[in-house]
Structures are given as C-alpha cells and as structure tokens.
Amino acid sequence: MLKNYITIAWRNLTRNSLYALLNVAGLSIGLACALIVFWFIRFQTSFDHSHTNIDHIYQITTEFHSDGVGYSRGVPAPMWKAMDAEFPQYKSSMCFEKYNSFMAALDNSGKAVKKFKEEGPNLAFVQPEYFSIFDTHWQVGTPASLSKPNTIVISEKMAKKYFGTENPIGKSIRLENELNLEVTGIIDNVAENTDLPFEFFVSFQTLIANPKYNYGGSGLDNWGGVNSNTYCFLLIPENVNIKGVEKQLTALNKKYHGKDYAFYKHPLIPFASMHHAENYDGAMPMKWVWIMSVIGIFLIVTACFNFINMATAQALRRSKEVGVRKAVGATRSQVFIQFMTETALITLAALVIGFAMAVLVVPHINSWLDQPGTWPVDIRWADGLLWIFMVSLFVGVVLLAGSYPGGILAGFRPVLALKGNISTRQIGGISLRRGLIVFQFVLIQLLVICTLVVNNQVDYMLSQSVGYETKGIAELPIPTPDKVNQTTFRQRLLEIPGISDASFCLFLPTTNSNNNSNVRFDTRQKDELWSMNTKNADDNYVKTFGLQFVAGENIPKSDTIRGYLINEKAVERLGLKSPAEAIGKNLKIWDVTAPIYGVLKDWNNTSFKSGINPIAIFTYKDYNYRCAVKLNTNNLHQTMKSVEKLWNEYFPDYLYEQSFMDDNIAKSYALENMMLKLIRVFSFIAIFIGCLGLYGLVKFMASQKTKEIGVRKVLGASIVNIIGLFGKEISLLIGVAFLIAAPLGWYVMHGWLQDYEYRIPIGAEIMILAITITFLVAAVTAGYESIKAALVNPVKSLKSE
C-alpha cells in the first residue's frame, strides 16, 4: 500500500511540475534558513559548555556604584591574594588576558628566529588551578608545568607555528622583547566556541617575579583600579549555598576596599551566562539569539503557508480524481494519507536540497559577515541534537503544511466532485488564502521596517561627526615609550612628505579602550562620586586631532603630569557654572594634584551607543604606547612606506603594524553591521517566499474568476479593468498587512533603539518606503498571472465553464 501511495504521489507531482517546483523552492529555502539559524543558536548557546564543571564555574565581576551603575567583567589585580586568604576551600584562579602580543621564537643562542604579532586575546597569565576549573587536554606536561616563573605552555597549533617539526619543550619564546619564557607543556588546540581562546598560557608567577613587566609591581597590590581583562574564576561545589558565598564576597569587599567599599561591588556570575551577558559586553547578547530564533520560525511558517495556498489552489483540479477514488471505494483516511504522502515527498526533497544549501553556506558565513566565531566553521555530524532537529523539522512541516489541504481533499463528496460542482467555500475559500497572505506580508513588512531602521541607524552612527575630524589619521604602536626619544621621533615623522602632525598618547580620543580614575576637585575633601575618563598624551594631542577649546589654553610640554585639560561634560559633572570657572582650579588624578589649563568642547569618546563621559587629558610620557599621525597626502602608499621605514629604524626588534582611526571606529559597530547584513538577506528571502504565496493566490483567483472575466470582456471591459480586479484585491491585502505591521514594527524597533544614546527617529518616511517596496514587489509578482488571465479569449473562458 505504501509503495502504491508513493508511486501515485510521484505521478501527481510530475504531472503538476510547476506546482511541485514552486513548493520545493519555497520549502527548501525556508528549511535551509531554519538549519542555518539552528546552527547559529546551537553554536552560540554552547560556548564553553564542553567543560565538565561548567554549571559550577562562577566569575567574580565588578560593579561601580556612583550616580549610576557601571559593569566590568574584570576585578582588581590583588583579588588573587584575597581568594587564597578568604576562600581556601574553593578552587580559584586569576586569569590576566593579554591582547595583540608580540612573540618571538628563540634559537639556542637566544636569537629571535621567528617573529609574530598575535592578534586578539590568545595569551593569558594564569595560576595552575586554572586547569582544575577548565578542562584542558595536555599532550605534554601537567598544570604543574606553570608553577615556576618564566614558563609558558602553548597549543599544538602554536608549537608547529613557532618551532615546526622540532620538539618545543625546553625551547624559549620571548614575549614583547622583555620576557624569555621556557616552553614546559603542550595542550590541544583551542575550541571554536569558547570565550577563553588562549593558545599561550604564561605562569602567574612570572608577573610576581618580574615587577617591572606590565601587571607586575604595585599593580598586583592595587585595589583602586580594575582592568577589564583581569578575570577571577571560582569553582563552587554543587552542595554549597551560593547566597552564602555572595555574603562572604560582600565582607571581602568591605575588608579590602576600605573606605571606598561603597563604590565597588563584586557580584558572582555563572560563567555559562557570560557569553550572553550584555552588561558585561558578552560576545552575543541573548536578544540577538531570540531575534534569530523568531526569524527562523517566521520563515518556516511562511513557507508552510505558501504550501497550503498552492495546495488548496490545486484542489479544484484534483476534485474529479478524488471523486473517482471515492467512487471505487477509497476511504477518507486513504485520500488523506495519499495527499500527506505527496506532502512528505515534497518536504523530503526540500529538506535534502535545503540541507545541502545550508551545509554549503554555513562555512562561509563568518568571512562574509567579517565576524569570526559567529557560526561554526566545521559542522559536527555526530551532534545528536542536529538529527533530532532534522526529523522534528520534517515531521512538523509535513503536518503543518499538509494537514489542512489533505483534510480538504479527503472531505470532497464524490457526486459533487465527479460533476465538477466543488465550490470555493468547500476548499477553504479565498478568505483563508487572504488570511495567509496577510500574515505573510505582515512578516515581510516587519522585516523590511526592521531592515530600514537598522540600516538608517548604522548609517547615522558611521556618518555623524564624533566632534572632530577622524579621516586621515593613522595609528602606530610605540612598543617602548619609556626608552624612545619621542620628540626626535616626532620631528623625523614630520619630515616625511604628506604628514602634517603627530601626537604620542595611550588612547585616541574615540576608542572602546578606556581608563577611568577617581577624581578630586580643588579644595573638596572627598573624591567625586563618579569616575573620570583619563587620556594621557603629549601637548600635540589637541592640535593633531583638531579638538576645540572653549576656555583656557593647552597643557605645557612635559614628561609627567603638570596640568589637565577637561571637557565640557567634566565641567557639568563638577557642578561648575561655566568652563571659565574651572581654569586654574586644581584637579587630583592618579594621586597627582595639578591645575586645569583648559576646557575642550565635548566629543564622543566611545561610540554613539553611549553618552559622552567626563574626560581629563594630561601628559605622562612612559604610557604613550601609540602615535597618531595626521596625513595630508594624495600618495598615501608612499607616505606610509616611509613611515614604516622610519618605525623599523627605531624599533628593529618588533613587527610594524598600522591602522586608521575611521576604520577602528567603524569596528565599534561590527555587531550592528553583522545583524544588518543578516536581516537584509532574511528580508529578501521572506519577500521571495511571500511572492511564491502571492503567485499561488493570484493563480487561484484567476481560475475562480474565469467565467467572470469572460463576461466582463464581452460587456466591454478592457485589459486594464481586468488587471484592476486583481490589483484591488492584492492592494487590500497589503494595506491590511501594513496596518498590522507598521505599529508592531515601530514598537519593536523603538525598543531596539533605546540601547543607543544617539539614535534616529522612526519617521513616516520609513513606513512609506516599506509599503512602497512591498507594493512594487507584489505588482511584479502578480503582474504576469493577472495579465495572462486578462488576455484569455472570452469565448474560450466562457466555453470552458
């Protein structure tokens, strides 16, 4: 019997090849999107879940309480001592994450033979206990390999990169041309889905033994500052009351922060949730996971509604077939099973095609989005959840798409079916298809509205001035600012044709890397209840970036702090009536009291997601790890080649790199750009699937109005009049869909825009453009079938009825 069902189903599909092709096309695209979304959700919700103790790993974070609440996933550096003293019963580890490390492999004589600039946070200083918290497979060595100073453990990938086929154990790697580290272990390569992508682990004892290196020295004992890359992890057994641990952390806060304890709080956050924690700059906020889930469901439902539309449109043609089947003894259930078999064949074909499409697309999505770590590069075929999802998707689509049309066909009365007297109402009527089309176009217009709003917001953020000119500014690293003569280096730079100015600094005016510090104003006895954004730079900083004075003058040339420049926001937060009132008053930052020399006009110092912060600029030569070069040239390539040559002359033991300020600012909106690309693609797909459904509806309407069209043409109706019949119907459906989609789209996107301090208004022009796009697409889709119906000879149409 099953073989018979399949054979007849195959014959019906080949006989109605256009119908089958449209359904397979719509379903395969919908299913491919569902699979792509599934892999996204599966990948993003599995970050670091491979660790055995993931449900019991917690990260101690920091909250800053002043006139608001600030968040950091980092902790004060001496937290490692507090953990040993206050929580000896738990396994804990500090993890000092380091970005963009300069590494060199050394030969036996200590000479650098291979040099690399490692991008991103792939190096960390850790305690051996780190490997008791996070699962790590050791190819060579054990966690004890990192118990001594100046030791390093590397991944298998890095072992091959730095030492080729040689055994790396006992060899040395030089870090930042300062520390020679002995390789004492090799671990497996890092997983794709991890927020701890470290391929170099340096012993924490190295920091203690080398007090002059970066985090060492007084930094390891300083409770007054928080670096966002300084992590503390705690492994808490299942039977321990977390509330009790949090109370202990509150006591720790009071004990170690002293009089400043009210400003700090150290919450305990489950590490499994950190990937989605928006307050802590999680890599993928949970709202985007939900948005992708909803889009995937919408596309599948839209594809199924298409199937229902076209299947019920085909029902009239198959009424006599059903009548004959029932006349010779077929039961209602047999007719239903026959149609469900056809649906299953179409769905199976669509699933195979959709799966193939998804498999081909997924490995390339990251590079297309320019966002590594968003989708898996390699698909895990052994993932049981994937196959459960595939089977569930197949069964769900067959039932959702096939049940209603199958029930309609199975319910035909044989006498009426054989006479050809099946009415429109008996197959669900146009009203059902109208409802399905309205639903589809609600989704389409929602996606179009979202696309337009996101596109306009991203364009706004990229095109708006941050308060000064960012184009034509190159950024160079200064590896050893305490050793280089910055004045001479700047003079040599200005001799290069095409360079108009240069400034040494730690941070550029607009960046996501920022330092904050307590501040005390003039004769006030206490620090302010808010922190100052600090930027140490030389006296050429203001001129190089074109920042504008509203009061006072520039800071004097100096190697150490001799004065401050502040912005208008700082004047406001200090409670002063005017910028001029600040000039000459003292400011205390970094325990250095010096006068305010000038007040600068506000500029955006992070991104348009955030408001303007109070800022202080001051000189401190030894921390000027960057050099900003202002370019004024039509021969950029030659100018930058000259800059590279000069840089290599000053820093021959390092690798040259450069970046441009406007590119770096654009990277602040990488997540928004990624989502914009995805929404654009999904909008196009939704429109395409919706067009298939609209085509099915117009085809059905044409078949139902054959006699009416013939009569109208005999009575003198023109082709335009006939096309108007269809246009009126479609316009009504799109209009109803718009009335639903417009307020819903405004509500959703208004909520989304609240995450941005600077945002666009959702004006009428966006709604008008959305419905215009929908009308144009609908007109193109319905035009062919409408014109075809209008051109039919009335004699033929009346005769056929």
Side-chain angles (χ1 to χ4, degrees):
M1 183 65 76
L2 180 61
K3 182 180 179 183
N4 181 56
Y5 284 145
I6 295 173
T7 303
I8 295 172
W10 178 253
R11 288 174 182 170
N12 279 324
L13 293 176
T14 52
R15 189 183 306 122
N16 299 294
S17 56
L18 178 61
Y19 159 78
L21 183 64
L22 290 175
N23 274 322
V24 169
L27 281 176
S28 61
I29 293 172
L31 290 168
C33 290
L35 283 165
I36 290 170
V37 170
F38 167 80
W39 274 313
F40 170 82
I41 296 170
R42 180 76 170 132
F43 185 66
Q44 291 296 333
T45 56
S46 66
F47 264 61
D48 291 301
H49 279 61
S50 60
H51 300 294
T52 306
N53 297 312
I54 185 62
D55 293 330
H56 308 298
I57 300 173
Y58 291 82
Q59 184 168 352
I60 300 174
T61 60
T62 301
E63 288 181 4
F64 305 98
H65 292 261
S66 54
D67 52 346
V69 181
Y71 300 89
S72 173
R73 60 171 58 201
V75 293
M79 185 67 78
W80 66 285
K81 290 182 179 179
M83 287 295 103
D84 289 344
E86 310 296 331
F87 296 92
Q89 68 274 36
Y90 305 133
K91 292 177 181 176
S92 65
S93 175
M94 295 296 290
C95 173
F96 287 10
E97 181 180 71
K98 191 175 186 307
Y99 278 75
N100 305 331
S101 303
F102 176 68
M103 315 282 285
L106 307 181
D107 61 16
N108 293 332
S109 65
K111 180 183 178 182
V113 290
K114 287 185 179 179
K115 299 177 184 178
F116 299 98
K117 185 74 171 183
E118 297 293 346
E119 298 295 328
N122 69 345
L123 183 145
F125 294 87
V126 298
Q127 297 164 294
E129 289 78 11
Y130 177 92
F131 302 100
S132 299
I133 300 172
F134 297 102
D135 298 342
T136 306
H137 181 258
W138 290 77
Q139 296 184 8
V140 180
T142 65
S145 303
L146 287 176
S147 58
K148 297 179 181 179
N150 302 324
T151 53
I152 186 171
V153 168
I154 61 179
S155 69
E156 179 186 8
K157 177 182 174 183
M158 292 299 113
K160 291 177 181 177
K161 178 177 177 179
Y162 281 79
F163 301 103
T165 57
E166 295 182 59
N167 181 6
I169 302 300
K171 295 189 178 297
S172 294
I173 289 177
R174 182 173 293 157
L175 174 62
E176 303 295 357
N177 272 339
E178 291 186 51
L179 299 177
N180 288 352
L181 307 170
E182 180 188 354
V183 179
T184 56
I186 302 173
I187 57 174
D188 280 353
N189 292 328
V190 67
E192 273 187 279
N193 52 341
T194 179
D195 287 321
L196 303 170
F198 307 126
E199 298 188 279
F200 301 91
F201 288 101
V202 182
S203 67
F204 191 77
Q205 290 295 319
T206 303
L207 294 177
I208 300 172
N210 296 274
K212 291 185 178 180
Y213 178 75
N214 209 354
Y215 288 104
S218 61
L220 289 175
D221 296 310
N222 180 19
W223 281 93
V226 174
N227 187 307
S228 59
N229 299 322
T230 302
Y231 309 144
C232 183
F233 301 107
L234 205 58
L235 180 60
I236 302 176
E238 186 176 359
N239 59 347
V240 174
N241 186 347
I242 299 301
K243 295 292 184 183
V245 179
E246 289 175 338
K247 287 182 180 178
Q248 287 179 274
L249 279 171
T250 301
L252 177 149
N253 182 39
K254 291 182 178 180
K255 179 177 179 179
Y256 290 94
H257 280 296
K259 60 183 177 64
D260 295 327
Y261 82 90
F263 181 73
Y264 295 97
K265 187 178 178 182
H266 296 295
L268 202 59
I269 308 294
F271 181 66
S273 68
M274 289 298 287
H275 184 69
H276 306 295
E278 213 164 342
N279 285 340
Y280 295 101
D281 296 323
M284 184 55 63
M286 201 65 196
K287 67 180 180 183
W288 289 114
V289 176
W290 283 111
I291 288 170
M292 291 293 290
S293 304
V294 170
I295 289 175
I297 292 170
F298 278 1
L299 291 175
I300 280 292
V301 171
T302 300
C304 289
F305 282 3
N306 266 357
F307 187 97
I308 294 171
N309 259 331
M310 286 186 273
T312 50
Q314 287 288 316
L316 281 176
R317 295 184 180 182
R318 300 188 62 179
S319 60
K320 290 186 178 180
E321 173 199 337
V322 174
V324 170
R325 283 179 178 278
K326 286 197 166 185
V328 296
T331 64
R332 180 169 183 155
S333 62
Q334 288 174 325
V335 175
F336 180 79
I337 291 171
Q338 175 62 56
F339 183 80
M340 292 300 285
T341 305
E342 291 179 22
T343 304
L345 282 178
I346 290 174
T347 305
L348 182 61
L351 188 60
V352 171
I353 295 170
F355 186 79
M357 290 166 62
V359 168
L360 290 173
V361 167
V362 164
H364 305 289
I365 296 180
N366 288 336
S367 57
W368 171 63
L369 293 173
D370 196 23
Q371 279 285 93
T374 306
W375 261 267
V377 175
D378 299 313
I379 295 169
R380 292 189 297 158
W381 301 107
D383 184 4
L385 198 60
L386 168 63
W387 301 108
I388 292 172
F389 177 76
M390 291 275 287
V391 172
S392 302
L393 197 60
F394 174 76
V395 173
V397 169
V398 170
L399 292 176
L400 179 61
S403 296
Y404 180 78
I408 293 293
L409 281 170
F412 285 170
R413 294 170 60 186
V415 175
L416 293 177
L418 288 170
K419 287 183 177 180
N421 289 335
I422 298 296
S423 67
T424 302
R425 182 176 296 177
Q426 284 179 279
I427 59 169
I430 291 180
S431 59
L432 171 69
R433 273 164 292 286
R434 282 173 176 164
L436 297 179
I437 291 296
V438 166
F439 179 82
Q440 287 177 314
F441 273 94
V442 167
L443 299 184
I444 287 170
Q445 291 187 74
L446 259 179
L447 284 173
V448 170
I449 290 169
C450 291
T451 302
L452 293 173
V453 172
V454 174
N455 184 78
N456 289 1
Q457 177 65 20
V458 172
D459 282 349
Y460 170 80
M461 292 188 295
L462 292 176
S463 61
Q464 280 291 108
S465 171
V466 296
Y468 60 93
E469 183 55 60
T470 60
K471 294 188 181 298
I473 294 180
E475 180 183 349
L476 313 175
I478 303 298
T480 54
D482 55 330
K483 297 176 182 177
V484 68
N485 188 322
Q486 296 178 15
T487 302
T488 306
F489 185 46
R490 180 175 181 273
Q491 290 172 349
R492 297 280 303 278
L493 280 171
L494 295 179
E495 292 172 3
I496 298 174
I499 294 180
S500 59
D501 218 328
S503 172
F504 292 89
C505 57
L506 177 58
F507 297 125
L508 273 60
T510 301
T511 175
N512 283 327
S513 298
N514 287 284
N515 280 342
N516 290 285
S517 175
N518 293 345
V519 58
R520 184 174 298 184
F521 179 66
D522 207 31
T523 57
R524 294 175 186 175
Q525 299 302 306
K526 293 183 179 180
D527 290 349
E528 301 299 317
L529 294 176
W530 44 270
S531 58
M532 183 80 81
N533 186 291
T534 57
K535 296 182 183 292
N536 50 279
D538 64 15
D539 57 309
N540 301 296
Y541 193 78
V542 172
K543 185 175 59 163
T544 300
F545 291 104
L547 302 177
Q548 300 174 31
F549 280 98
V550 293
E553 59 184 3
N554 199 13
I555 45 177
K557 184 179 182 65
S558 175
D559 290 344
T560 56
I561 301 175
R562 286 182 55 195
Y564 298 102
L565 299 177
I566 61 174
N567 65 344
E568 292 173 300
K569 189 68 175 180
V571 172
E572 176 191 326
R573 297 300 296 273
L574 288 169
L576 304 180
K577 294 179 181 178
S578 68
E581 191 178 344
I583 306 303
K585 298 290 196 307
N586 284 333
L587 208 61
K588 184 180 180 181
I589 296 175
W590 289 9
D591 287 328
V592 177
T593 301
I596 297 172
Y597 275 79
V599 177
L600 297 167
K601 186 176 181 181
D602 281 339
W603 72 91
N604 193 281
N605 65 301
T606 53
S607 71
F608 286 103
K609 299 177 189 178
S610 309
I612 295 171
N613 302 117
I615 300 168
I617 300 171
F618 49 86
T619 53
Y620 201 87
K621 170 183 172 293
D622 289 355
Y623 280 4
N624 289 341
Y625 284 96
R626 291 176 177 83
C627 179
V629 178
K630 190 170 182 62
L631 304 168
N632 182 19
T633 178
N634 293 322
N635 192 354
L636 181 63
H637 177 74
Q638 185 57 48
T639 299
M640 296 314 296
K641 288 293 288 183
S642 300
V643 170
E644 180 178 1
K645 182 179 179 182
L646 176 63
W647 191 94
N648 285 327
E649 180 184 326
Y650 273 80
F651 309 105
D653 295 328
Y654 293 85
L655 292 177
Y656 174 80
E657 61 178 344
Q658 66 186 41
S659 60
F660 291 92
M661 189 174 182
D662 47 353
D663 292 338
N664 293 336
I665 291 175
K667 288 177 183 177
S668 301
Y669 309 112
L671 185 59
E672 285 78 9
N673 271 315
M674 180 190 79
M675 286 302 168
L676 176 60
K677 288 181 180 179
L678 288 174
I679 292 174
R680 280 174 177 169
V681 170
F682 285 132
S683 296
F684 176 80
I685 291 170
I687 289 171
F688 177 76
I689 295 174
C691 287
L692 293 179
L694 184 62
Y695 178 81
L697 175 67
V698 173
K699 197 170 182 65
F700 177 77
M701 288 170 58
S703 67
Q704 291 303 294
K705 293 178 179 289
T706 303
K707 186 174 182 179
E708 179 188 341
I709 291 170
V711 170
R712 285 179 179 272
K713 291 191 74 172
V714 168
L715 295 176
S718 66
I719 293 175
V720 174
N721 295 139
I722 302 302
I723 293 173
L725 281 174
F726 297 95
K728 182 180 177 181
E729 176 77 20
I730 294 166
S731 298
L732 178 64
L733 298 180
I734 293 175
V736 171
F738 178 75
L739 291 176
I740 299 170
L744 190 57
W746 182 91
Y747 177 79
V748 171
M749 296 315 295
H750 176 75
W752 178 76
L753 286 170
Q754 299 313 301
D755 289 341
Y756 299 89
E757 188 73 22
Y758 301 92
R759 49 188 178 265
I760 60 166
I762 305 177
E765 66 279 1
I766 289 177
M767 301 300 176
I768 293 170
L769 183 56
I771 195 170
T772 301
I773 291 171
T774 311
F775 269 122
L776 289 174
V777 170
V780 172
T781 303
Y784 170 74
E785 201 62 38
S786 302
I787 294 170
K788 181 181 174 183
L791 292 176
V792 172
N793 190 322
V795 175
K796 184 178 179 181
S797 60
L798 291 172
K799 182 180 177 181
S800 69
E801 292 290 324

